[in-house]
Amino acid sequence: MGFIRSCSGLLAELSWTPQNGKSFWGTFAAPTLPIWLISNGGPGGGYKNIPGGDMMGKTLNPYTDAPHTGITRRYDFNISRGVIAPDGYEKQVLLVNDQFPGPLIEADWGDYIEVKVTNSIDNGPPEGTSIHWHGFLQTGSPWMDGVPGVSQCPIAPGKSFTYKFRAELYGSSWYHSHYSAQYTGGLHGPMVVYGPRNVGYDVDLGPVMVSDWWHNDYFKVVEEIMAPGFTGRTYSDNNLINGKMNFDCSTVASGDQTPCTNNAGLSKFNFQPGKTHRLRLMNTGAEGTQRISIDEHNMTVIAYDFVAIDPYDTQVVTLGVGQRADVLVNAHAKPGSAFWLRSNLTTCSSANEPSALAAIYYEGADKNSVPTSTPWDIPDPGTCANDDLALTKPYYPMALPPPSFTQHMDINYFTNSTGHLLWEFGGVTARVDYNDPTLLRAHDAGSGFQPDLNVIDYGTNTSIRIIVNNPTPSAHPMHAHGLNMYILAAGSGNYSETNSTLNVINPMRRDVQMVSANGYIVVQMDTADNPGIWPFHCHVSWHASAGFFSQMLFQPDELAKKMLEVPHEVQQTCREWAEFTNGVVPDQIDSGLR
């Protein structure tokens, strides 16, 4: 952070376009968000209040009571390559509508979301793609989950695919590519679903996306981790907030002639004195766990992932990859003040530059001044663990059903006979077939799947309990598709009934939960209401690439019946992908998934 001591102001050396393309995130042009939308997408007016009713989160079941709005929010995405310099170091990235981070998708609770995705990655080299809508349940539409080799074939270069799904939950999330590790190269953006509030506030500042950042192209990093002799750690070069950060160009490797600009520019936010602001924190990175704070300001956490919680105050929020936190911050300082928003990669993450900064300016402040605020003195525990489960109670309480099946899924890693370091989950190193998605083979589930697909058939079980032991030196953000997990326990060592007490009274629910190095988690999943084949995997991109991935088959008989509803476009996408791969062989050196 030497640039703070050496500069007298925060005037960016790079203009908007060379740093982030057409993206306005992290600038004063970024809009504040409404409380809800009207039918044409504008704020207010279309409803008398928030669909479902404001302050009704304690009454309305977030999983079953979404209103039928009859509205579809439509978006058009073009995915292409581009060259930008988010921290001043120029590199080739993947962009959504020429933007990094990508544009906001927003909807009201109960709306449908429709996104036409066109793959224009047709050079340098051509690649397939797909988009996963993180945290969305996809009830009745498992083929819209956006996971190549599982729910669909990749979208071939020059082709389009239209996703349509319902906003069944409300809160903050994000979308990202699920093809190889593409999203670490820029292919991601925020999503917001407006619904009942559990606490009032004045201003919604929208998404605050934090992400570790590699200067190498994402595929070069994949080649590094999949090469013989890889030791297990690849180090990020920087840490970004809303796609921006500075970088000391004097530290580039000898002989590196890549254009690099010092003081490229930081993200900036505006606070209104005396007002309460909502910030939607999101870890959209590849590997690192982030500790987020605002100097001299407390944060009130009101939601994690898509789950509203009983509010509690904190000075630091810890987020693993894929996790989100909605926080409220009271702007208690004087007009003209300035403070740092900090996001630091934890010591258990692999980072050459762990610290990221953004500036918060109160009205009346010099918007290029350097804040002189004091950070909180809260040492990093170095565990990558989420906050104690005793602090996080869902605002809408739910009774935990008795499990009909309990399973152990241990994590491990090994070096195979060719010298490649691979990850195992439940004893299997997974790899998918882009040309033959698992879901589209659901009709032959009874005959079994190849072992390396790591498909676990849970049959007619209605609620499964999974014990994940992690006797490895790495922490892992465990992400389940198609549902929210009940988080019953988290701790150090291997789980046993003697060293852990399960929280079965209104346990926390999340779609991503951290399991610490040499630790464990116990989760439970309701499997009766959403037949499908749902990934359960580590959200560290490089771990998923190296095989840390499983597929959960729920209610196979019911799923087989639903396959008659698969849209024609899903099969057409597979035909287009097959035609593309007849002439071009994709360089799938990893599991195929991030």
Side-chain angles (χ1 to χ4, degrees), residues 89-406:
Y89 186 94
E90 193 173 281
K91 65 171 288 187
Q92 187 177 85
V93 298
L94 294 170
L95 302 171
V96 184
N97 294 352
D98 297 320
Q99 301 173 49
F100 169 74
L104 174 68
I105 287 179
E106 55 186 341
D108 285 327
W109 189 34
D111 289 350
Y112 278 89
I113 296 171
E114 184 176 292
V115 189
K116 180 182 178 182
V117 177
T118 299
N119 180 3
S120 295
I121 314 172
D122 51 11
N123 56 45
E127 293 184 21
T129 196
S130 72
I131 304 293
H132 171 56
W133 318 98
H134 186 107
F136 285 75
L137 301 181
Q138 302 292 354
T139 302
S141 57
W143 39 81
M144 294 295 169
D145 196 40
V147 184
V150 178
S151 58
Q152 66 171 96
C153 294
I155 306 168
K159 302 298 181 180
S160 301
F161 180 79
T162 299
Y163 296 91
K164 186 174 182 179
F165 50 93
R166 193 170 182 226
E168 301 172 76
L169 301 176
Y170 55 85
S172 306
S173 197
W174 61 308
Y175 58 85
H176 59 81
S177 172
H178 223 300
Y179 181 101
S180 185
Q182 275 183 346
Y183 91 77
T184 66
L187 212 173
H188 64 262
M191 303 183 77
V192 171
V193 178
Y194 304 103
R197 297 181 295 173
N198 53 340
V199 184
Y201 53 87
D202 302 305
V203 182
D204 189 337
L205 288 182
V208 180
M209 296 165 279
V210 296
S211 55
D212 47 15
W213 188 245
W214 273 254
H215 286 163
N216 276 333
D217 175 77
Y218 89 86
F219 194 72
K220 287 186 178 179
V221 183
V222 171
E223 289 179 318
E224 174 192 350
I225 66 165
M226 297 306 299
F230 177 63
T231 60
R233 303 190 78 173
T234 177
Y235 288 80
S236 58
D237 294 291
N238 212 339
N239 197 15
L240 310 181
I241 299 176
N242 276 4
K244 297 177 183 293
M245 187 53 195
N246 290 342
F247 178 71
D248 183 354
C249 295
S250 69
T251 63
V252 299
S254 176
D256 186 346
Q257 299 299 311
T258 303
C260 187
T261 303
N262 287 306
N263 299 319
L266 306 182
S267 286
K268 299 178 179 181
F269 301 92
N270 186 65
F271 266 18
Q272 299 178 33
K275 301 290 187 180
T276 298
H277 299 73
R278 179 173 185 163
L279 286 73
R280 300 171 182 267
L281 310 178
M282 308 174 182
N283 185 340
T284 59
E287 184 267 347
T289 301
Q290 304 266 5
R291 302 180 77 240
I292 305 165
S293 63
I294 300 174
D295 290 358
E296 303 174 41
H297 290 70
N298 288 322
M299 295 181 286
T300 301
V301 184
I302 62 171
Y304 278 122
D305 296 356
F306 266 144
V307 178
I309 65 170
D310 291 338
Y312 72 95
D313 292 339
T314 188
Q315 290 78 47
V316 177
V317 169
T318 301
L319 295 180
V321 177
Q323 293 185 315
R324 294 88 66 208
D326 289 62
V327 302
L328 301 184
V329 182
N330 178 35
H332 57 73
K334 298 177 182 178
S337 301
F339 298 87
W340 287 121
L341 185 157
R342 303 174 188 268
S343 193
N344 297 325
L345 291 161
T346 60
T347 55
C348 57
S349 302
S350 302
N352 289 324
E353 174 49 76
S355 302
L357 292 172
I360 292 176
Y361 295 107
Y362 278 62
E363 289 181 350
D366 175 357
K367 297 301 195 292
N368 291 314
S369 63
V370 178
T372 58
S373 54
T374 303
W376 292 102
D377 183 15
I378 302 177
D380 178 1
T383 61
C384 278
N386 291 130
D387 279 1
D388 193 317
L389 291 173
L391 292 173
T392 54
K393 294 291 184 182
Y395 190 66
Y396 181 87
M398 293 182 66
L400 182 73
S404 57
F405 182 74
T406 297

Side-chain angles (χ1 to χ4, degrees), residues 26-37:
T27 74
F28 294 121
T32 57
L33 302 186
I35 299 175
W36 75 96
L37 300 173

